[in-house]
Amino acid sequence: MQSIRGTKDILPLEISSWHALEQIIRLLTSQYGYQEIRTPIMEYAEVFKRSVGEETDIVGKEMYTFPDRGGDALTLRPEATASVVRAAIQHNLTAQQQIARLYYVGPFFRYERPQKGRQRQFHQFGCELMGAATPEADVEILTLAHDFMISLGIQSYQLQLNTLATPTVRQQFKSSLVEYFSAFQTELSEESKSRLSTNPLRILDSKNPGDKAISEKAPSLLDMLDNESKDHFDAVLSMLDGLGIPYSINPRLVRGLDYYSHTVFEITSTSLGSQDALGGGGRYDHLFEQFGGKHTPCIGFGFGMERLLIALAAENTPEIQRKADVYIIGFETNESRSAVIQFAHTLRMSSKKNIITDVQNRSLKAQMKEADKLGIEHAIIIGPDEAIAGTCIVKHLKTGMQYTKKRSDLDGLFEV
Ligand code: AMP
């Protein structure tokens, strides 16, 4: 029996770096006033079809969709925004013009060809700011993403920005792209050729060298912006400048999904190989209406957690290793072993220490060896003599310093 292709077990050896990452996420999001939302891992397939778009790679090729036993078409979520919007409407989270600041952490599913940094089950952390159309809202989200990189200590990251303007301007842009690329029909890759009728914007981010060369001279949306789109984008850029947050403008950045407008962005890292996107996001002002809700402008981002961990490991940022702090050791007699169990219980209740004990009736030597191997700070030895005397020997394993204390006197137990 093996795990499914493209899925991974996260083993105890790796879990401390996940916990450290999650700890930073929880700290940062609470500093910005974001609260966690946990939506189900399955949704009706419609939720994604209607929002992400039928012509996107995600919906067209990558979704795990299946009929359940009652005949409903269900999908394992490939991304979070559609589910969060569905939940926000269902539970009225943005009623009476309220702002909702939400974040999520969890698994997502896409049927893609697995490679480094690309799995079929992967994890994302993301934030959604709902109910504000202002450039200030964009800047809050972008600053949060920037601060996230800084808190993690990822040096190699780049923030790329673009605007997808208003739906009207984007429609005009699509038409001019179709006109431009149609002249190169025979030279375009098969994929881009079919996108000409389905999703012409995506031709701009094709990785095919021939497509790339043709795209070089394609019309740029930045030259077609109306006042509303230009003012919004300029305001975002000038606030970022004021904050000293570095970025570059990438007019070819379109993001794969249908629901974006105005600001879109991606954060890439040179530590990642070919799958170089750590995260991305953008403004989605019309998704609520598409779901039958009230007009509610929003902006958000999602980061891939596996890729964050790859970037962190590549940059040698020290991981926060969480080990047990104390190993309580007993041996030879029943009195000794039961004193260990009782003292471990007392200490767990009265201190914040992580405590482990032997459960294999091993010798003092074997237990000391294991404590060393686990990088434990203090060993507490309650041998047959100490068990009877009501004492214990506290030993600092790095320095070798040790002393005997009464077990009833917990104050200053770990002073060596
Ligand atoms: P997207 O919404 O597609 O831009 O995804 C946001 C982030 O999730 C990406 O920048 C990646 O870091 C991560 N991601 C997306 N798909 C996968 C995948 N199949 N495996 C691992 N990470 C992924």
Side-chain angles (χ1 to χ4, degrees), residues 112-356:
E112 295 192 85
R113 195 172 47 78
Q115 64 182 89
K116 186 180 171 202
R118 193 159 74 189
Q119 295 172 201
R120 290 182 176 175
Q121 177 175 338
F122 60 100
H123 297 76
Q124 279 188 352
F125 149 58
C127 290
E128 311 288 355
L129 172 51
M130 300 178 152
T134 58
E136 283 78 4
D138 302 33
V139 171
E140 176 171 308
I141 279 288
L142 287 163
T143 312
L144 214 173
H146 165 81
D147 287 0
F148 183 46
M149 293 294 102
I150 303 295
S151 315
L152 287 173
I154 294 182
Q155 313 283 343
S156 66
Y157 94 96
Q158 257 215 327
L159 170 62
Q160 300 185 12
L161 286 175
N162 192 18
T163 174
L164 294 180
T166 57
T168 321
V169 173
R170 198 163 55 255
Q171 204 47 49
Q172 290 160 1
F173 178 56
K174 273 187 187 170
S175 308
S176 56
L177 279 183
V178 171
E179 197 181 320
Y180 172 80
F181 284 119
S182 295
F184 300 94
Q185 275 259 14
T186 49
E187 294 152 63
L188 285 173
S189 67
E190 281 309 310
E191 190 156 40
S192 290
K193 224 178 280 171
S194 81
R195 281 182 173 151
L196 206 46
S197 54
T198 58
N199 198 348
L201 282 178
R202 287 294 313 278
I203 303 176
L204 292 176
D205 72 355
S206 164
K207 296 234 155 61
N208 177 291
D211 292 349
K212 271 185 166 173
I214 298 169
S215 290
E216 287 284 318
K217 297 226 165 66
S220 168
L221 180 54
L222 293 176
D223 298 329
M224 298 174 65
L225 297 182
D226 58 357
N227 286 343
E228 180 192 338
S229 308
K230 188 168 169 16
D231 290 350
H232 187 96
F233 198 44
D234 286 347
V236 171
L237 299 184
S238 92
M239 278 185 266
L240 290 178
D241 291 337
L243 284 159
I245 293 180
Y247 60 85
S248 57
I249 294 173
N250 175 0
R252 272 171 231 303
L253 178 68
V254 296
R255 309 276 299 139
L257 292 59
D258 270 3
Y259 51 61
Y260 289 116
S261 54
H262 288 296
T263 314
V264 287
F265 57 97
E266 219 153 71
I267 289 183
T268 55
S269 160
T270 47
S271 307
L272 287 174
S274 68
Q275 297 302 312
D276 68 349
L278 279 175
R283 178 163 278 290
Y284 54 99
D285 288 347
H286 306 285
L287 202 48
F288 269 66
E289 290 117 295
Q290 253 166 272
F291 277 14
K294 273 216 291 253
H295 174 69
T296 310
C298 307
I299 180 160
F301 63 66
F303 278 93
M305 294 178 65
E306 283 80 4
R307 294 194 195 169
L308 291 167
L309 292 172
I310 294 172
L312 277 171
E315 294 186 26
N316 285 326
T317 307
E319 286 167 12
I320 304 161
Q321 280 285 347
R322 204 160 159 73
K323 311 158 198 149
D325 310 309
V326 183
Y327 199 123
I328 309 187
I329 298 175
F331 52 94
E332 285 173 14
T333 64
N334 286 339
E335 287 84 356
S336 162
R337 289 196 194 98
S338 73
V340 166
I341 292 170
Q342 282 176 25
F343 198 51
H345 188 239
T346 308
L347 271 189
R348 284 191 187 112
M349 293 288 124
S350 64
S351 76
K352 291 216 170 78
K353 300 276 183 196
N354 303 322
I355 295 159
I356 53 173

Side-chain angles (χ1 to χ4, degrees), residues 52-61 199 202 256-258:
V52 177
E54 299 264 7
E55 304 301 345
T56 59
D57 285 352
I58 292 183
V59 173
K61 303 183 196 160
N199 198 348
R202 287 294 313 278
L257 292 59
D258 270 3

